Amino acid sequence: MLQLSTTLALPDWIASSIDASAICTGDEAKIALAVELSRLNVERDTGGPFGAAVFDAEDRLIGVGVNRVVPQNCSVAHAEMMAYLTAQAATGRNRLNEGHPGIVLATSSQPCCMCYGATFWAGIDTLLIGATAS
């Protein structure tokens, strides 16, 4: 039988650990949030060491993600992809910058090729990377 639907979910601790009304002014604050998400994901044993956050042009948090590949048995459940999913659900837009320029993704480390591609399609105007591969 074919599986006709699936659900991807972030860990419960995010709701109590992250201030959803946060204003993160400046690149360092945005990267710090992505790194904190990564740290907490490892500390709480809910996925791999990667975190990401999406912000609007006014520095408001509109989506977050942590790596959920192993817990969700889903190879595309990277932190960036989860952040896009939550931001798209929150805004009702698949291209986040459509009519709303200035969308920023902050990620704890350099995205893979899948996440780089999704960055374009999700409508991210600025990509902030915490740690690079080089």
Side-chain angles (χ1 to χ4, degrees):
M1 182 163 89
L2 292 175
Q3 186 70 32
L4 299 179
S5 67
T6 188
T7 300
L8 295 175
L10 293 173
D12 293 339
W13 59 259
I14 288 182
S16 61
S17 301
I18 302 302
D19 181 2
S21 64
I23 304 292
C24 291
T25 306
D27 295 352
E28 286 184 21
K30 291 175 179 71
I31 290 288
L33 177 56
V35 170
E36 178 67 0
L37 286 163
S38 173
R39 183 187 71 75
L40 289 170
N41 205 38
V42 171
E43 182 179 280
R44 296 181 184 200
D45 197 29
T46 53
F50 304 97
V54 179
F55 300 89
D56 67 12
E58 287 78 41
D59 301 319
R60 291 180 299 226
L61 185 61
I62 58 172
V64 298
V66 292
N67 180 279
R68 300 287 289 158
V69 170
V70 173
Q72 301 267 202
N73 294 312
C74 180
S75 61
V76 300
H78 292 194
E80 298 90 346
M81 302 298 270
M82 298 298 287
Y84 298 151
L85 288 167
T86 59
Q88 290 163 337
T91 63
R93 298 188 307 268
N94 65 308
R95 287 203 47 93
L96 296 166
N97 63 355
E98 191 170 309
H100 302 273
I103 303 296
V104 175
L105 173 76
T107 185
S108 60
S109 62
Q110 187 170 343
C112 70
C113 60
M114 173 184 66
C115 293
Y116 267 127
T119 297
F120 170 77
W121 292 112
I124 301 299
D125 297 305
T126 302
L127 175 60
L128 303 174
I129 300 170
T132 63
S134 56

